[in-house]
Amino acid sequence: MARPLMLWAIVAALSAQSVYGFQLWHDVNRYDAYGNECKLREVRGIKCKPLCVNDLARCPESLQPSCPDGESFCADGACHAQCTDAIQSLNPCHCSRTGEQLPSAARGLVPCMSLTNVTIQQFRPWDANSDIRRACGAKAGIVDQSETVAVWGNGWLGGDVTAVWAECPPAPNPKFTFRESYWVATFSVNGALVLLLILWSLNKCWAERNVRKASAATTYTLNGSEAKRSGNPEAKGAIDVQDDDESEAMKLTGDLKHGAASSSDMDTTSTNSLTRDIKLLGYRSHIFGTLCVWSITLVTMLWICYLGVWTADYYGALPGSRKGVAFSLGLQNTHLMLASFLIVWGLTFAILLTLYIFKPHLRNFFRIRTLPAQGQYVCVVRPIREVKLLADKASWLQHRINIVTERLITLLSKDKDYSTCLVEKTSEGRIYFNYQCTRYVYDDQIQQYAPYEFDLGTSHRGLLAQAAGLSSKDAHYKQELVGPNFIDVHTPGVFGAFARELVSFFYIYQGIFLWAFYFYGYYQIGLVDTGIIIISASIKVTLRMQSEGRLKRMAEHEEPVMVLRDGEWSQISTKLLVPGDVIEVVSGAYMSCDCVLISGNAIMDESSLTGEPLSVRKFALRMDSGHYNSTGSGKMSSLFAGTTVSQVQPVLKSVDGLESPRVLALVKSTGTMSEKGQLVRQILFPSRIAFVFNEQMRIVVFILVLYAIFVMGMAVYLYNGNAVSIVFYGVFAISQLLSPLLPAAM
């Protein structure tokens, strides 16, 4: 029962719509499937075309005008009481042409009386017009048409030709004069933007000329812990010049050592990982550049709205005088309307794609480049290193596709991470910026930015000797260099989270291709796909915001702590701790920094870092000649950030350690230099990982692209050079091969 109902539903759906088809490879109805010529058939009720003359007296006798009394024969080929201008304009011999489109030879033509319908005994569909003219001429009493009657557009009155059949050729497509108001507005707005960009480019080149000269004159290199200077000693503020196109870039290499008193006070382990292969570019804002950015944003939004206007016009939904008139922007011509939409659609796609590709560079292009030490912003350029978890050996096809992909990634500058950071000042006037939750401070000695990390030493005696804590002055100085013991995790709101999600390439691809569905009468499919995409994006944004919220609560933990400064105990926030501080460890406390236990014992819950459910006992350092190593034997004296104190036990009497009624710990590392900080940093800024699945997906996309090219080739062949139909067919075919729902499925 279900199958007949399904067949009935399909037949009903097909019968509700008009279906048109044509045969491509042979003449219509001339040959059967076996190549035999079809038998000619009789066709009744064929309407004859008007016969046009320049004088009604030249009409055949059977077609001479004859009207009732009180009526006149008018130019529309019928009798009326009065031949008004409106009636006269309906002259069928003008073939709906007026003005310059009407040939001069056709201006004086008028129709004879209309012929009644004719019957053709042996009708040839492949030469229908000739059969119809022959039958209609015979009925009108015209014996020989070959010499006396011409066809409209192929011959005119003159010589032996006395009449013309009004077989009107297709009307020529209307053309834009480009003086239409919407085209004038389009060219004016975009022309003004182009002029603005040209003027900005000239201004930018002129303003940056000194930076290029300074970079070419002086070179600064780093070797070990010293910044060596070579080149022109008169040029100040120049930086390390690399052998690439970014002449004023600064590359941080070597074992950087920056400290409170001297370079020997520094620990280079974490610092090197934060400065490896980094390039810095300085920029400052310019009001002209800001104007250009807002202009590009406005024009992009106008292009999207303009695309919506053309879509509304397709359905006759424009307001005002155009309401209810379909294709009004396309001069009510289907071909012109579709072609114009494709141009607007393609340009909008090109603009959005260009903005996506150059998104990392766009804002800084509209700033003036300076030396990093002089800029309001610093752009951190860092290579993206991909961790590949792949099969042992890739296939030949996979290898070639990987080469092409890597070259494309390099060409589009997607092999580097570009982060622009605001340059700020400390209370003492030092300039710095925060990159990946780490403070980079400008060092006047080496003339570049670098993160600071203080080395408190490794000997047990040296660490225990710092049990007296810091002075307020020293703590303030270190706070200036390392920043607060607080990892600020930026989490956007709902609108910002959706904006961040929707600016990816796949969403741009989805939106622009689905817009073609909305335009071309397939809005039902577009609505369904759009709904699925919105639901998928909403789920993804919700899950991401929840994860970021949990990470933010963990990273931004802050609580009061007792600290020894200036020889006195005081309560401050853990946010203000710096390396070298001595703090009191109490039961239930959450460690916000890496510390070394210097007095007393503690039982620590390290499950948040290691996953180990059992608590770990920690012992204070001994007063001996040993050396502290946080990953080796010194781990038993290390209190790591992110762990919780379960229980403490002070040591009042000790032979080889410090005695104190409090359990004391020396702050070793804070912020992103701590164990928790490095973990948070890896979560917020993970390394790119390539799995076998990712590599094989490239082969799938490659096959789909080849198939899309084949489909486009078939469209070119089947549509016989109809460019508009080819493009629309190609868009719909590609959208099914590379489905807009692919990101939702993944």
Side-chain angles (χ1 to χ4, degrees), residues 470-480 565 578 581:
L470 298 174
S471 66
S472 298
K473 182 179 179 181
D474 290 341
H476 176 72
Y477 177 78
K478 290 187 176 184
Q479 183 87 38
E480 292 253 320
R565 286 186 182 174
V578 295
D581 270 327

Side-chain angles (χ1 to χ4, degrees), residues 1-291:
M1 184 66 181
R3 183 172 295 178
L5 287 176
M6 184 179 296
L7 292 175
W8 179 86
I10 294 173
V11 171
L14 292 175
S15 62
Q17 300 183 3
S18 298
V19 179
Y20 302 93
F22 62 92
Q23 303 220 8
L24 180 65
W25 292 286
H26 55 80
D27 295 332
V28 178
N29 296 334
R30 186 168 186 176
Y31 301 98
D32 60 17
Y34 302 100
N36 302 317
E37 190 165 283
C38 298
K39 182 179 179 180
L40 301 180
R41 59 189 176 87
E42 179 183 277
V43 179
R44 298 175 179 272
I46 297 178
K47 186 177 181 180
C48 294
K49 300 293 183 182
L51 187 66
C52 302
V53 295
N54 58 2
D55 186 354
L56 292 177
R58 291 178 175 268
C59 292
E61 186 176 350
S62 60
L63 301 182
Q64 287 289 333
S66 177
C67 295
D69 293 340
E71 293 186 358
S72 303
F73 186 76
C74 299
D76 64 344
C79 296
H80 299 277
Q82 185 179 2
C83 295
T84 62
D85 291 341
I87 293 175
Q88 294 293 95
S89 65
L90 300 177
N91 188 342
C93 296
H94 290 176
C95 290
S96 302
R97 268 72 162 177
T98 58
E100 297 179 355
Q101 294 182 354
L102 181 62
S104 58
R107 295 181 185 276
L109 295 179
V110 291
C112 299
M113 288 291 290
S114 300
L115 283 166
T116 58
N117 293 348
V118 297
T119 298
I120 301 177
Q121 299 297 329
Q122 293 184 330
F123 183 70
R124 299 176 300 170
W126 59 88
D127 196 12
N129 290 334
S130 297
D131 286 354
I132 295 173
R133 285 197 299 269
R134 191 178 302 108
C136 293
K139 189 165 187 177
I142 303 174
V143 178
D144 184 12
Q145 298 187 53
S146 60
E147 299 294 337
T148 60
V149 183
V151 178
W152 203 97
N154 294 330
W156 302 106
L157 300 180
D160 296 332
V161 179
T162 59
V164 175
W165 289 110
E167 291 182 9
C168 298
N173 291 327
K175 296 182 180 180
F176 289 121
T177 63
F178 296 105
R179 292 191 293 270
E180 292 83 3
S181 58
Y182 46 92
W183 287 125
V184 172
T186 302
F187 294 140
S188 299
V189 171
N190 290 278
L193 179 62
V194 170
L195 179 61
L196 202 64
L197 295 179
I198 292 175
L199 293 176
W200 166 253
S201 299
L202 295 175
N203 176 73
K204 181 179 175 69
C205 291
W206 175 259
E208 294 176 354
R209 67 193 187 282
N210 292 331
V211 176
R212 295 189 179 92
K213 291 179 180 178
S215 300
T218 308
T219 301
Y220 283 80
T221 359
L222 293 178
N223 182 14
S225 62
E226 297 178 357
K228 295 186 177 181
R229 178 175 176 176
S230 60
N232 183 6
E234 299 299 326
K236 296 183 179 180
I239 52 181
D240 180 22
V241 176
Q242 303 300 318
D243 294 329
D244 56 14
D245 56 344
E246 298 171 313
S247 59
E248 62 271 25
M250 176 170 60
K251 189 171 183 179
L252 303 179
T253 57
D255 298 329
L256 303 181
K257 296 182 179 180
H258 312 285
S262 66
S263 60
S264 60
D265 295 332
M266 292 302 303
D267 180 14
T268 65
T269 303
S270 301
T271 308
N272 288 339
S273 64
L274 294 172
T275 59
R276 185 174 63 247
D277 297 333
I278 282 183
K279 295 180 182 179
L280 303 180
L281 302 173
Y283 293 94
R284 60 180 174 84
S285 296
H286 195 284
I287 188 170
F288 191 12
T290 304
L291 175 63

